[in-house]
Amino acid sequence: MSWLTEYVRPKIRTLFTRREVPENLWQQCPACEQMIFHTDLAKNLKVCPHCGHHLRASAQERLAWTFDENAYTRIELPKVPVDPLKFRDSKRYTDRLKEARETTHLDDAILVAHGTIAGARAVVAVMAFDFMAGSMGAAVGEGLVAAARLAVLQDAPLIVFTASGGARMQEGAVSLMQMPRTIIATRLVKEAGLPFIVVLTDPTTGGVTASFAMLGDLLIAEPGALIGFAGARVIEQTVREKLPEGFQRAEYLHEHGILDMVVKRTELRDMLARVIDLLRVKDREAA
Amino acid sequence: MPHFLDFEKPVAELESKIEELRRMSEPDGINIAEEVAKLTEKADRQLRATFAKLTPWQKAQVARHPERPKALDYIAGLITDFTPLAGDRAFADDAAVVGGMGRFHGRSVVVLGTEKGTDTESRVKHNFGMARPEGYRKARRLIELAGRFGLPVLSFVDTSGAFPGIEAEARGQAEAIARSIEACLEAPVPLVATVIGEGGSGGAIALAAGDRVLMLEHAIYSVISPEGCATILWRDAAQAPLAAEALRLTADDLIRLRLVDDVIAEPLGGAHRDRDATLHAVSEAVRSALTPLLSLDGPALKARRREKYLAMGREALI
């Protein structure tokens, strides 16, 4: 139990979605270039009402959209050693972290919360692409381990929304070691007989895809999401071929048998509720 | 004609001078022993000085040296009765991942490696050590086979990374790597991994998430190649030496970060300069890493392995 006190005690914050007044009342869809009024965009969960393009969403938005009544309890994530490599390129890694924290108001590229989905308890971890491209260093790895342990403790399924450019280079081999660490996290959930569901959102690549993200009991993706291991440019340079239409997109992966389903954002919550309900027969029988 | 790296030029010049003297002396029988000995000593000193302060980028060059012993050399040198096994049972046999059964110091083991090849033909055959999903699925299959029969797994890692290709992505490269790492972590038998050259990112850890991870002195192990990192962060691949420095990818760095367990010293001038000595050193290091693990049962090994990886990145580092 020591981990729980460590993780949860400092403060438990209940967040409700804050109504933010957007700077621009109109936003242009990056796909069809039509203008969308901000209330329409919000109502439609950031899906373009004209062409159905799924715009990128923040981690907080995803939590709000997923849980009942937009309500959830975020847990404080364990602190990890900062900048183990003393890394600097044109900028210090510590400065990049500081900037990311200031612009996103997040500690790192992951949020973990618990609450209910259609009345059933669930733990949800969301990666924040805004935070250094959602890259996975020790903090993200530790966040996933904490999420897995919370799911086990609460006897609840774990749902992870991925959005990541891959490993966090600035943490070198420490970030590489998050691959086995997050895979251990998936084992903890699975061994407890709990569903581990991954929702792959745009974009999910590199070491994140090649670790916990591909090990869900169910793999769900949002339409059009870019999902892959190697970057498109690297592949193009290596094989010197033009990449096929729709390469590394959710629909392409679905066609190739890599995903279970591609689900629209507006239908995602209901689908999560349904699959959790279908999987958790044992609970109902016990009750 | 041996292959010299840029920074080995002074050594190369001395060694070619020695060669020249030897050739000259043969027909005439002139006694040049003294001169040769002097030059040899000088060359040795030079080599020692150069290798005593290799930069991380120079280490990367040594790690990728074309004459460096490759996975199949270690298998040939360390494993008797080697019995290669092939295929992922679904699509193909990927020659970038070699593996099979054999005996290590008389004990039955499963052995795995990423093989880069030694000449143009074999490099193409082994796809320069860059595995496709089939390779990682073969690795997983062999690790599971080892688990079923209680055989320790020895792996020899040398890869610039998983193959970035259209077909590889279409067949689930990411999933194949993830499952291979999972197989390492779940194995109910000891797994000793040795990074012999290049430990390139996910493609390397797919075979290396073991109980004990050893690194050769001049091997590198990194989340991204110095060139790749330089391209992204410096927007210039030519800054690779800087990226190599920043990434802390040498064996000493990895030990300090507590991400690998032991460093195996290489002969002066690198593993390729004395292959027999290298093979012997690796054989002994793997044996001493493996021996204490043999007394542990499956659940104990798994629990310890999990604890080992969970602790990484959580503890204060360097």
Side-chain angles (χ1 to χ4, degrees), chain B residues 95-118:
Chain B
V97 174
V98 293
M101 304 178 292
R103 281 178 213 286
F104 175 66
H105 292 283
R107 173 181 299 274
S108 193
V109 295
V110 159
V111 57
L112 279 173
T114 39
E115 172 61 38
K116 283 186 174 178
T118 48

mmCIF file of all heavy atoms in Angstrom, chain B residues 95-118:
data_model
loop_
_atom_site.group_PDB
_atom_site.id
_atom_site.type_symbol
_atom_site.label_atom_id
_atom_site.label_comp_id
_atom_site.label_asym_id
_atom_site.label_seq_id
_atom_site.Cartn_x
_atom_site.Cartn_y
_atom_site.Cartn_z
ATOM 1 N N ALA B 95 16.367 -13.038 -41.491
ATOM 2 C CA ALA B 95 17.778 -13.338 -41.205
ATOM 3 C C ALA B 95 18.459 -12.247 -40.382
ATOM 4 O O ALA B 95 19.604 -12.415 -39.953
ATOM 5 C CB ALA B 95 18.534 -13.569 -42.510
ATOM 6 N N ALA B 96 17.780 -11.107 -40.159
ATOM 7 C CA ALA B 96 18.366 -10.071 -39.295
ATOM 8 C C ALA B 96 18.392 -10.552 -37.841
ATOM 9 O O ALA B 96 19.193 -10.085 -37.047
ATOM 10 C CB ALA B 96 17.580 -8.772 -39.406
ATOM 11 N N VAL B 97 17.496 -11.466 -37.509
ATOM 12 C CA VAL B 97 17.515 -12.083 -36.178
ATOM 13 C C VAL B 97 17.918 -13.543 -36.355
ATOM 14 O O VAL B 97 17.242 -14.290 -37.055
ATOM 15 C CB VAL B 97 16.146 -11.983 -35.466
ATOM 16 C CG1 VAL B 97 16.166 -12.772 -34.157
ATOM 17 C CG2 VAL B 97 15.789 -10.523 -35.201
ATOM 18 N N VAL B 98 19.052 -13.889 -35.754
ATOM 19 C CA VAL B 98 19.502 -15.274 -35.839
ATOM 20 C C VAL B 98 19.272 -15.922 -34.473
ATOM 21 O O VAL B 98 19.291 -15.241 -33.442
ATOM 22 C CB VAL B 98 20.995 -15.361 -36.225
ATOM 23 C CG1 VAL B 98 21.202 -14.860 -37.647
ATOM 24 C CG2 VAL B 98 21.866 -14.560 -35.255
ATOM 25 N N GLY B 99 19.035 -17.210 -34.483
ATOM 26 C CA GLY B 99 18.803 -17.846 -33.192
ATOM 27 C C GLY B 99 18.658 -19.337 -33.307
ATOM 28 O O GLY B 99 18.526 -19.880 -34.411
ATOM 29 N N GLY B 100 18.687 -19.965 -32.164
ATOM 30 C CA GLY B 100 18.528 -21.405 -32.139
ATOM 31 C C GLY B 100 18.895 -21.956 -30.776
ATOM 32 O O GLY B 100 18.932 -21.204 -29.794
ATOM 33 N N MET B 101 19.179 -23.257 -30.756
ATOM 34 C CA MET B 101 19.560 -23.898 -29.501
ATOM 35 C C MET B 101 21.026 -24.286 -29.576
ATOM 36 O O MET B 101 21.601 -24.326 -30.656
ATOM 37 C CB MET B 101 18.721 -25.151 -29.281
ATOM 38 C CG MET B 101 17.225 -24.881 -29.298
ATOM 39 S SD MET B 101 16.272 -26.397 -29.083
ATOM 40 C CE MET B 101 16.617 -27.263 -30.604
ATOM 41 N N GLY B 102 21.591 -24.582 -28.461
ATOM 42 C CA GLY B 102 22.978 -25.027 -28.444
ATOM 43 C C GLY B 102 23.438 -25.204 -27.019
ATOM 44 O O GLY B 102 22.620 -25.173 -26.086
ATOM 45 N N ARG B 103 24.746 -25.388 -26.862
ATOM 46 C CA ARG B 103 25.292 -25.558 -25.518
ATOM 47 C C ARG B 103 26.285 -24.447 -25.218
ATOM 48 O O ARG B 103 27.134 -24.126 -26.046
ATOM 49 C CB ARG B 103 26.020 -26.897 -25.407
ATOM 50 C CG ARG B 103 25.095 -28.054 -25.217
ATOM 51 C CD ARG B 103 25.863 -29.375 -25.169
ATOM 52 N NE ARG B 103 25.043 -30.412 -25.740
ATOM 53 C CZ ARG B 103 23.988 -30.928 -25.109
ATOM 54 N NH1 ARG B 103 23.661 -30.521 -23.906
ATOM 55 N NH2 ARG B 103 23.261 -31.861 -25.697
ATOM 56 N N PHE B 104 26.150 -23.899 -24.015
ATOM 57 C CA PHE B 104 27.072 -22.879 -23.545
ATOM 58 C C PHE B 104 27.754 -23.431 -22.314
ATOM 59 O O PHE B 104 27.082 -23.714 -21.312
ATOM 60 C CB PHE B 104 26.278 -21.598 -23.228
ATOM 61 C CG PHE B 104 27.115 -20.500 -22.618
ATOM 62 C CD1 PHE B 104 28.123 -19.880 -23.354
ATOM 63 C CD2 PHE B 104 26.881 -20.079 -21.314
ATOM 64 C CE1 PHE B 104 28.878 -18.863 -22.792
ATOM 65 C CE2 PHE B 104 27.640 -19.054 -20.741
ATOM 66 C CZ PHE B 104 28.644 -18.449 -21.483
ATOM 67 N N HIS B 105 29.080 -23.635 -22.400
ATOM 68 C CA HIS B 105 29.818 -24.309 -21.327
ATOM 69 C C HIS B 105 29.088 -25.594 -20.926
ATOM 70 O O HIS B 105 28.907 -25.882 -19.754
ATOM 71 C CB HIS B 105 29.989 -23.392 -20.116
ATOM 72 C CG HIS B 105 30.909 -22.237 -20.387
ATOM 73 N ND1 HIS B 105 32.271 -22.352 -20.412
ATOM 74 C CD2 HIS B 105 30.646 -20.940 -20.680
ATOM 75 C CE1 HIS B 105 32.825 -21.186 -20.694
ATOM 76 N NE2 HIS B 105 31.868 -20.306 -20.868
ATOM 77 N N GLY B 106 28.602 -26.315 -21.936
ATOM 78 C CA GLY B 106 27.982 -27.616 -21.706
ATOM 79 C C GLY B 106 26.497 -27.565 -21.378
ATOM 80 O O GLY B 106 25.815 -28.588 -21.412
ATOM 81 N N ARG B 107 25.984 -26.371 -21.070
ATOM 82 C CA ARG B 107 24.580 -26.275 -20.670
ATOM 83 C C ARG B 107 23.708 -25.926 -21.866
ATOM 84 O O ARG B 107 24.048 -25.055 -22.664
ATOM 85 C CB ARG B 107 24.430 -25.197 -19.592
ATOM 86 C CG ARG B 107 22.988 -24.882 -19.212
ATOM 87 C CD ARG B 107 22.924 -23.810 -18.163
ATOM 88 N NE ARG B 107 23.619 -24.244 -16.950
ATOM 89 C CZ ARG B 107 23.044 -24.968 -15.999
ATOM 90 N NH1 ARG B 107 21.785 -25.338 -16.115
ATOM 91 N NH2 ARG B 107 23.728 -25.314 -14.942
ATOM 92 N N SER B 108 22.574 -26.594 -21.981
ATOM 93 C CA SER B 108 21.651 -26.349 -23.079
ATOM 94 C C SER B 108 21.025 -24.960 -22.930
ATOM 95 O O SER B 108 20.512 -24.611 -21.866
ATOM 96 C CB SER B 108 20.582 -27.441 -23.041
ATOM 97 O OG SER B 108 19.848 -27.425 -24.216
ATOM 98 N N VAL B 109 21.102 -24.163 -23.990
ATOM 99 C CA VAL B 109 20.560 -22.797 -23.946
ATOM 100 C C VAL B 109 19.840 -22.468 -25.261
ATOM 101 O O VAL B 109 19.992 -23.165 -26.255
ATOM 102 C CB VAL B 109 21.672 -21.731 -23.753
ATOM 103 C CG1 VAL B 109 22.366 -21.861 -22.412
ATOM 104 C CG2 VAL B 109 22.681 -21.771 -24.901
ATOM 105 N N VAL B 110 19.068 -21.382 -25.219
ATOM 106 C CA VAL B 110 18.564 -20.782 -26.460
ATOM 107 C C VAL B 110 19.381 -19.518 -26.680
ATOM 108 O O VAL B 110 19.638 -18.764 -25.742
ATOM 109 C CB VAL B 110 17.055 -20.472 -26.369
ATOM 110 C CG1 VAL B 110 16.640 -19.420 -27.401
ATOM 111 C CG2 VAL B 110 16.243 -21.751 -26.573
ATOM 112 N N VAL B 111 19.840 -19.332 -27.906
ATOM 113 C CA VAL B 111 20.664 -18.173 -28.199
ATOM 114 C C VAL B 111 20.008 -17.352 -29.308
ATOM 115 O O VAL B 111 19.381 -17.907 -30.222
ATOM 116 C CB VAL B 111 22.108 -18.618 -28.530
ATOM 117 C CG1 VAL B 111 22.143 -19.584 -29.691
ATOM 118 C CG2 VAL B 111 23.001 -17.430 -28.817
ATOM 119 N N LEU B 112 20.089 -16.032 -29.155
ATOM 120 C CA LEU B 112 19.462 -15.104 -30.096
ATOM 121 C C LEU B 112 20.441 -13.985 -30.415
ATOM 122 O O LEU B 112 21.245 -13.617 -29.564
ATOM 123 C CB LEU B 112 18.268 -14.418 -29.422
ATOM 124 C CG LEU B 112 16.939 -15.121 -29.336
ATOM 125 C CD1 LEU B 112 16.008 -14.283 -28.470
ATOM 126 C CD2 LEU B 112 16.340 -15.316 -30.715
ATOM 127 N N GLY B 113 20.348 -13.440 -31.596
ATOM 128 C CA GLY B 113 21.192 -12.285 -31.898
ATOM 129 C C GLY B 113 20.644 -11.481 -33.059
ATOM 130 O O GLY B 113 19.891 -11.999 -33.886
ATOM 131 N N THR B 114 21.013 -10.204 -33.094
ATOM 132 C CA THR B 114 20.763 -9.432 -34.312
ATOM 133 C C THR B 114 22.075 -9.426 -35.083
ATOM 134 O O THR B 114 23.110 -9.058 -34.549
ATOM 135 C CB THR B 114 20.328 -7.991 -33.993
ATOM 136 O OG1 THR B 114 21.078 -7.518 -32.888
ATOM 137 C CG2 THR B 114 18.851 -7.932 -33.635
ATOM 138 N N GLU B 115 22.007 -9.843 -36.331
ATOM 139 C CA GLU B 115 23.220 -10.054 -37.123
ATOM 140 C C GLU B 115 23.310 -9.038 -38.256
ATOM 141 O O GLU B 115 22.413 -8.943 -39.079
ATOM 142 C CB GLU B 115 23.214 -11.485 -37.686
ATOM 143 C CG GLU B 115 24.312 -11.783 -38.681
ATOM 144 C CD GLU B 115 25.727 -11.637 -38.109
ATOM 145 O OE1 GLU B 115 25.952 -11.998 -36.943
ATOM 146 O OE2 GLU B 115 26.607 -11.143 -38.850
ATOM 147 N N LYS B 116 24.431 -8.309 -38.284
ATOM 148 C CA LYS B 116 24.601 -7.276 -39.320
ATOM 149 C C LYS B 116 25.222 -7.810 -40.606
ATOM 150 O O LYS B 116 25.119 -7.175 -41.647
ATOM 151 C CB LYS B 116 25.505 -6.160 -38.790
ATOM 152 C CG LYS B 116 24.822 -5.204 -37.829
ATOM 153 C CD LYS B 116 25.777 -4.064 -37.497
ATOM 154 C CE LYS B 116 25.097 -3.003 -36.654
ATOM 155 N NZ LYS B 116 26.040 -1.924 -36.289
ATOM 156 N N GLY B 117 25.923 -8.952 -40.520
ATOM 157 C CA GLY B 117 26.628 -9.463 -41.698
ATOM 158 C C GLY B 117 28.046 -8.935 -41.756
ATOM 159 O O GLY B 117 28.376 -7.953 -41.107
ATOM 160 N N THR B 118 28.883 -9.609 -42.551
ATOM 161 C CA THR B 118 30.313 -9.280 -42.549
ATOM 162 C C THR B 118 30.827 -8.820 -43.905
ATOM 163 O O THR B 118 31.891 -8.224 -43.986
ATOM 164 C CB THR B 118 31.132 -10.514 -42.128
ATOM 165 O OG1 THR B 118 30.673 -11.625 -42.894
ATOM 166 C CG2 THR B 118 30.960 -10.817 -40.652
#
